[in-house]
Amino acid sequence: MNRYKILNDPVQPAGRGRLFVISAPSGGGKTSLVQALRGALDNVSVSVSHTTRPRRGGETDGVAYHFIDNDEFDAMATAGEFLEHANVFDHRYGTSKTAIDELLQADIDVILEIDWQGARAVGAAGLNAVTIFIMPPSIHELEQRLRGRGDTDSVVRRRMRDAVNEMSHYAEYDYLIFNDSFQQALIDLTAVVSASRLERAAQQSRHRELLDSLVAP
């Protein structure tokens, strides 16, 4: 079971970048879609979490995750350095406030790949995030994807239970994307991010001088 701590002293980004929270059940295709989105749009960055889980072969510190031990994690949590943090499958994960703030201040849109509890924590922190949930086309397809990873039956059953719980929170999100066709799902995800960039408040922030000149008497 995941356990998120909602923090009372969140970072309040004043920059022009936008924060996107993307959630999906394990096997939903979230990571692949986010990677493709970064190739389709400029100025999009994925938040690199801190984690206590062991580094896997081929992973680079600071790219996949910032790999730290439990003592370092405790110190960061105690110092209030995480926007949100959690225990997931027996390991700990946390999102750095400072790292997100620096990206947003640089006019870079930031994606957080976190679950529904993390999304709640971000919302409770008062951050104006766009929330997106990625759904599989069916329970059967989701199970086939998980079994295709080569996990044991017990791991697949556990992940399926967690997936059903995760998907039950879809109504808490702004947008739903069904990942039946990867290309269509990518088009949909790109459309959400692109449209968010055109919201009036975002455009006012980016083009204040131009707008003032256009409406000046």
Side-chain angles (χ1 to χ4, degrees):
M1 180 177 180
N2 302 352
R3 299 181 182 276
Y4 273 83
K5 179 180 179 182
I6 297 176
L7 305 174
N8 295 320
D9 182 26
V11 60
Q12 295 292 339
R16 295 177 295 181
R18 195 68 189 270
L19 185 63
F20 295 87
V21 170
I22 301 182
S23 303
S26 180
K30 172 186 64 189
T31 299
S32 296
L33 283 169
V34 169
Q35 288 176 346
L37 174 71
R38 294 185 66 192
L41 294 177
D42 294 331
N43 292 337
V44 177
S45 179
V46 178
S47 174
V48 179
S49 298
H50 290 72
T51 184
T52 60
R53 82 155 171 77
R55 190 186 315 182
R56 296 169 183 163
E59 289 183 330
T60 302
D61 185 42
V63 177
Y65 293 97
H66 298 291
F67 295 96
I68 60 177
D69 60 27
N70 277 298
D71 289 341
E72 291 176 282
F73 198 100
D74 285 337
M76 292 183 69
T78 300
E81 295 182 30
F82 291 130
L83 172 61
E84 52 80 27
H85 59 88
N87 294 331
V88 182
F89 295 124
D90 305 320
H91 299 296
R92 305 166 75 186
Y93 296 81
T95 301
S96 166
K97 293 180 185 178
T98 300
I100 290 177
D101 191 37
E102 288 176 350
L103 289 168
L104 294 174
Q105 292 280 4
D107 197 14
I108 296 172
D109 292 331
V110 181
I111 293 175
L112 298 183
E113 296 183 60
I114 52 181
D115 73 359
W116 67 271
Q117 294 178 85
R120 277 189 180 179
V122 170
L127 299 183
N128 184 26
V130 177
T131 58
I132 305 165
F133 198 98
I134 297 171
M135 282 283 196
S138 69
I139 284 290
H140 174 73
E141 176 63 24
L142 181 63
E143 184 173 353
Q144 292 302 109
R145 291 177 184 178
L146 291 176
R147 291 194 180 281
R149 295 178 173 182
D151 291 329
T152 64
D153 284 345
S154 62
V155 170
V156 171
R157 286 195 299 270
R158 178 183 178 185
R159 290 189 181 275
M160 284 298 295
R161 288 194 300 269
D162 290 341
V164 171
N165 178 57
E166 182 81 19
M167 291 186 293
S168 71
H169 294 274
Y170 75 88
E172 300 175 25
Y173 288 73
D174 299 319
Y175 295 91
L176 288 178
I177 294 175
F178 288 86
N179 187 12
D180 186 0
S181 161
F182 182 85
Q183 290 304 318
Q184 184 59 52
L186 177 59
I187 290 171
D188 294 342
L189 181 58
T190 304
V192 170
V193 175
S194 297
S196 297
R197 291 176 169 181
L198 300 178
E199 289 179 353
R200 177 182 51 77
Q203 293 288 64
Q204 281 181 310
S205 178
R206 292 187 176 94
H207 303 292
R208 170 60 66 185
E209 292 185 7
L210 173 59
L211 287 168
D212 286 347
S213 70
L214 291 171
V215 300

